[in-house]
C-alpha cells in the first residue's frame, strides 16, 4: 500500500475517532426532571460556543423558537431588515469573533432562500455559520398539504436539498430522540470545518423535552489528530526541501490561516524562525503588519515590484492556508513553481506534487516550528522590504484613490475593525499597512457587492463584545444601495461604525471590467447625508453625517478628535472622480477582461 493510501486511510480513522469523541457523554444518569426543550438545548449549545447574537427575520414557522430566544439570558435577537443582510451579518460576526460562529434564523422557503447568497459566500470563504430554518411540523412534512411558502407540489425537502450545495453539513430534525445528537453533529462540523451548516427545526419539536445530560460534555472543537507516522514522514519530507533551500525560505500567509484557528501556531512559527513573511490579499492582517519581518501583500503580477522579487525568487515558499482564487492571485499570475512550494492546509499538506490527506496544519505547525527554529540566525539575514505607504504629494484638491488610502491609513488605530467592500475599497486597502491588533474584513473570493453593510453590523456587534476598537466601513455608492436598510439596525442597536462612502457615480470595478462609459454602470445619486436620519437616527444626537469634496476637507475631518472618537454612528460622503481607481484594480480588471474574452 502506498504512503498516500496509508495517509488517506489513517485520516478516515482519525475522523471517525474524532466523531465518536464528540458524541461521547458522561456516564451519569440525569436527576429526575433533568430535561430541556430542544429550543433551549440549541440555545445552550450556541452559548457554549460563545454566540450571543442571533440574526434573522421572524416568520410564522420560527416564531415558536423565537419565544425561547426572547426569554434566553445570553442570546440576543438582533432582527434584521431582510434575510440576506442577516446572513451577511452572521458572516461578519463570525469573522471578528474568532473561535465562535455566526448564527441566523429564517423561516421556511421564502426566508431561507433569501439568505442563500450570504450562506454561499460564507461557504466559499471558510466562515462558520449556523443557518436555522424554522419549518412546518413533522406531521405536515409527512402529509404534505399545500402550505404557504411551499412550491405547491408537495416537495417539502426542496430547500433542504438546495442547502446541501452551500453548507458542509445538514440536519433535518424528525424526532426528539435524535435531536440532541443531530444538533451536536452539525455544530461540530461547523466549528471544525469552518464552514456553514444547516438545521431544519420543525414547529412541533421546538417545545419537545429531551435529556439535558449531553450539555455537560462540551463540543469537541479540535480538528482530528494527525496520524503520528504519517506526520513524521511529512515533516521529514519538508526538512529535506528546507535543507536544499540553504535557508532562503519565505512564509506566505493566506485566508485559511485565520479561518481555521491557527493564528497562535502561525505566530510561533513566524517568531521562532524569523523567516520573511508575506500575505495574500485574503490573508491581510493575519500576521501583524507592523512586524519587522513582514514585507507586504503578494498578489502575483499586481504586487509591488520589491515584494514580487522576494517571493518569486525564494528557493522555498511555505504557504499557510492558501486560497488561490483569481482576485487573490492577480488572476492566477503567481510565478511560484510547484517544485519550490510546500502548502499547509486545514485537512491536508501538499509537498511539491504530493498531497498528504489527513495531515492538517493545526497539529503540524508546532512540530514544524520546533524543527525550523535552529535556522533562526540564518533566516534573520534575509532582507525584507519595508512595508509602508507614504501619502503622495499631489498638486490638486481632488480626493484621488492614490492619495486616499495612505491618508486614511494614518487615521487607523490599534484594534480597529476595518471592513472593505469588493472592488475599489478592497484593492485600495491592500498596499497600506494596518496597526497592531487591527482586524481586516473583506470578501475577495465570493465578492458579493453590498456584503459589507450587513457584515459591518455583525462585525461591530462582535467588536463591542470583545472590547475591540472602532469599526470602520469603506463602501462605494453602488454597493451600499443593495443593503442600505441595515444601517437602521445599527442605529437601533447602538453600534457606532464610521461609514466612509465613496461617491464616484456608480460601479467603478465594473467600468474597468467592461463598459467604461456604459449607462448600465451608472446609479442614482442618493442624498447620502440624509440616510442616517431617514433610517431612524437623530443628527447630532446618535448619528452624524459629513460630506467632503477636497483633500483638505477630508484631512481636517480625520484630524477632528470628536469625529475620531466614534461615539455615534457616522457617515462620510467623499466626492471622488468617476473613473479613478486603485492601480491594483485597474491591472486586475485588465487581466480579468482578457480572460473573460476567452
Amino acid at each position: 500500500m502506498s504512503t498516500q493510501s496509508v495517509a488517506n486511510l489513517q485520516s478516515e480513522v482519525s475522523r471517525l475517532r474524532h466523531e465518536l469523541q464528540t458524541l461521547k457523554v458522561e456516564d451519569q444518569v440525569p436527576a429526575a426532571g433533568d430535561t430541556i426543550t430542544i429550543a433551549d438545548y440549541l440555545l445552550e449549545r450556541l452559548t457554549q460556543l460563545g454566540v450571543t447574537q442571533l440574526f434573522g427575520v421572524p416568520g410564522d414557522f420560527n416564531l415558536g423558537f423565537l419565544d425561547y430566544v426572547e426569554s434566553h439570558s445570553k442570546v440576543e435577537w438582533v432582527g434584521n431588515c431582510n434575510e440576506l443582510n442577516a446572513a451577511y451579518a452572521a458572516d461578519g460576526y463570525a469573522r471578528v469573533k474568532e473561535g465562535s460562529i455566526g448564527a441566523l434564523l429564517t423561516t421556511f422557503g421564502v426566508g431561507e432562500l433569501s439568505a442563500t447568497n450570504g450562506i454561499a459566500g460564507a461557504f466559499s470563504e471558510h466562515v462558520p455559520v449556523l443557518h436555522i430554518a424554522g419549518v412546518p411540523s413533522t406531521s405536515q412534512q409527512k402529509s404534505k398539504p399545500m402550505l404557504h411558502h411551499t412550491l405547491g407540489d408537495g416537495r417539502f425537502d426542496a430547500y433542504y436539498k438546495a442547502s446541501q450545495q452551500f453548507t458542509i453539513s445538514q440536519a433535518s430534525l424528525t424526532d426528539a430522540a435524535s435531536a440532541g445528537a443531530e444538533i451536536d453533529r452539525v455544530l461540530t462540523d461547523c466549528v471544525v470545518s469552518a464552514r456553514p451548516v444547516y438545521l431544519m427545526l420543525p414547529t412541533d419539536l421546538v417545545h419537545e423535552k429531551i435529556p439535558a445530560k449531553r450539555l455537560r460534555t462540551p463540543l469537541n472543537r479540535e480538528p482530528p489528530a494527525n496520524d503520528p507516522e504519517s506526520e513524521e514522514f511529512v515533516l521529514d519530507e519538508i526538512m529535506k526541501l528546507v535543507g536544499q533551500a540553504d535557508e532562503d525560505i519565505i512564509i506566505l500567509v493566506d485566508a485559511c490561516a485565520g479561518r481555521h484557528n491557527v493564528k497562535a501556531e502561525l505566530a510561533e512559527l513566524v517568531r521562532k524562525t524569523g523567516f520573511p513573511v508575506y500575505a495574500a490579499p485574503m490573508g491581510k492582517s493575519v500576521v501583524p503588519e507592523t512586524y519587522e519581518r513582514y514585507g507586504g501583500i503578494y498578489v502575483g503580477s499586481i504586487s509591488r515590484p520589491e515584494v514580487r522579487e522576494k517571493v518569486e525568487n525564494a528557493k522555498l515558499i511555505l504557504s499557510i492556508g492558501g486560497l488561490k482564487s483569481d482576485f487573490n492571485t492577480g488572476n492566477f499570475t503567481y510565478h511560484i513553481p510547484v517544485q519550490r512550494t510546500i502548502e499547509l492546509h486545514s485537512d491536508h499538506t501538499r509537498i511539491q506534487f504530493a498531497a498528504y490527506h489527513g495531515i492538517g496544519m493545526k497539529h503540524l505547525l508546532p512540530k514544524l516550528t520546533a524543527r525550523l527554529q535552529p535556522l533562526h540566525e540564518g533566516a534573520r539575514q534575509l532582507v525584507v522590504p519595508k512595508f509602508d505607504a507614504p501619502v503622495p504629494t499631489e498638486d490638486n484638491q481632488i480626493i484621488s484613490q492614490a492619495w486616499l488610502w495612505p491618508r486614511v491609513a494614518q487615521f487607523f488605530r490599534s484594534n480597529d475593525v476595518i471592513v472593505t467592500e469588493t472592488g475599489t475599497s478592497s484593492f485600495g486597502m491592500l498596499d497600506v499597512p494596518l496597526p497592531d491588533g487591527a482586524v481586516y474584513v473583506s470578501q475577495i473570493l465570493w465578492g458579493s457587492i453590498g456584503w459589507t453593510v450587513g457584515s459591518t453590523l455583525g462585525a461591530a456587534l462582535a467588536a463591542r463584545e470583545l472590547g475591540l476598537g472602532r469599526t470602520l466601513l469603506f463602501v462605494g455608492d453602488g454597493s451600499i444601495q443593495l443593503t442600505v436598510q441595515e444601517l437602521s439596525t445599527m442605529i437601533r442597536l447602538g453600534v457606532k461604525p464610521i461609514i466612509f462612502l465613496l461617491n464616484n457615480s456608480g460601479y467603478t470595478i465594473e467600468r474597468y471590467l467592461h463598459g467604461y462609459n456604459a449607462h448600465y454602470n451608472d446609479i442614482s445619486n442618493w442624498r447620502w447625508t440624509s440616510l442616517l436620519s431617514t433610517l431612524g437616527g437623530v443628527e447630532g444626537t446618535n448619528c452624524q453625517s459629513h460630506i467632503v469634496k477636497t483633500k483638505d476637507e477630508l484631512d481636517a475631518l480625520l484630524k477632528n478628535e470628536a469625529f475620531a472618537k466614534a461615539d455615534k454612528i457616522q457617515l462620510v460622503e467623499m466626492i471622488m472622480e468617476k473613473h479613478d481607481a486603485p492601480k491594483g484594480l485597474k491591472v486586475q480588471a485588465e487581466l480579468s477582461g482578457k480572460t473573460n474574452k476567452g
Side-chain angles (χ1 to χ4, degrees), residues 86-157:
Y88 287 164
D91 179 314
Y93 181 88
R95 289 177 191 244
V96 173
K97 197 166 183 182
E98 295 175 0
S100 185
I101 66 172
L104 77 149
L105 174 70
T106 67
T107 197
F108 184 58
V110 294
E112 55 186 305
L113 292 182
S114 292
T116 298
N117 178 36
I119 296 298
F123 185 94
S124 173
E125 301 224 346
H126 293 249
V127 181
V129 172
L130 168 66
H131 181 185
I132 308 165
V135 301
S137 67
T138 53
S139 61
Q140 288 175 318
Q141 291 183 53
K142 291 175 182 176
S143 62
K144 296 180 172 51
M146 192 178 289
L147 287 179
H148 62 290
H149 299 342
T150 69
L151 298 170
D153 60 2
R155 289 186 294 147
F156 278 64
D157 63 346

Side-chain angles (χ1 to χ4, degrees), residues 323-378:
L323 277 176
K324 295 181 181 179
S325 72
D326 51 357
F327 277 25
N328 204 35
T329 63
N331 212 54
F332 309 114
T333 58
Y334 269 27
H335 293 285
I336 304 174
V338 175
Q339 299 95 312
R340 292 194 275 121
T341 305
I342 297 167
E343 297 182 15
L344 274 59
H345 296 278
S346 62
D347 58 359
H348 72 283
T349 300
R350 186 176 294 274
I351 302 174
Q352 295 178 316
F353 296 98
Y356 301 91
H357 296 282
I359 305 299
M361 59 184 171
K362 179 72 173 178
H363 300 298
L364 184 67
L365 273 170
K367 300 178 180 68
L368 181 59
T369 298
R371 292 212 186 187
L372 291 175
Q373 187 171 2
L375 304 179
H376 183 272
E377 291 302 320

Side-chain angles (χ1 to χ4, degrees), residues 382-397:
L382 297 170
V383 176
V384 180
K386 182 175 176 57
F387 183 46
D388 59 7
V391 180
T393 300
E394 297 180 340
D395 296 327
N396 59 63
Q397 281 295 311

